[in-house]
Amino acid sequence: MMNNSALGRTWEELEKEIFTPEEIAASDLRVAIIGELIKARQEKGISQKKLEELSGVKQPVIARMEKGSTSPRLDTVLKVLAPLGKTLAIVPIEHE
């Protein structure tokens, strides 16, 4: 938790004022998916360029996905995950 004394609020407090719970959940999900993609690539010990060769998805697209500067299409995510031995699954949402 970061507290910005100039604002007197934490990021989490400010985030809840700016974004809806649905927007926060969607963002958290994107971050989790991309985090898992990066982790899987690193565990396999392959570069983004090698992943391009294996998946057919261009390295700059993979880089933008990993930086979070783009919202990739589902089929693009699946193409990148397959050579990493991963896929997406539909599971129940865990409520706090």
Side-chain angles (χ1 to χ4, degrees):
M1 254 196 252
M2 241 172 67
N3 189 342
N4 186 334
S5 59
L7 296 175
R9 298 178 283 199
T10 65
W11 165 248
E12 289 80 10
E13 292 168 338
L14 187 59
E15 180 182 46
K16 288 177 183 174
E17 290 179 25
I18 297 172
F19 302 106
T20 67
E22 293 80 13
E23 290 170 324
I24 293 169
S27 175
D28 290 347
L29 181 58
R30 279 191 301 275
V31 168
I33 290 169
I34 297 305
E36 288 298 317
L37 185 151
I38 294 167
K39 180 179 164 189
R41 182 177 63 75
Q42 290 173 341
E43 286 175 352
K44 288 272 188 183
I46 62 175
S47 66
Q48 291 178 350
K49 188 65 178 167
K50 181 66 176 175
L51 187 53
E52 172 186 27
E53 294 169 19
L54 297 171
S55 68
V57 176
K58 298 290 185 190
Q59 182 275 328
V61 173
I62 294 168
R64 286 193 300 270
M65 285 174 52
E66 290 189 2
K67 282 196 310 189
S69 61
T70 187
S71 291
R73 294 174 25 160
L74 181 58
D75 62 330
T76 303
V77 173
L78 293 171
K79 283 180 187 177
V80 171
L81 288 174
L84 299 172
K86 304 286 184 177
T87 191
L88 294 178
I90 307 292
V91 296
I93 296 173
E94 295 178 15
H95 295 282
E96 294 180 15

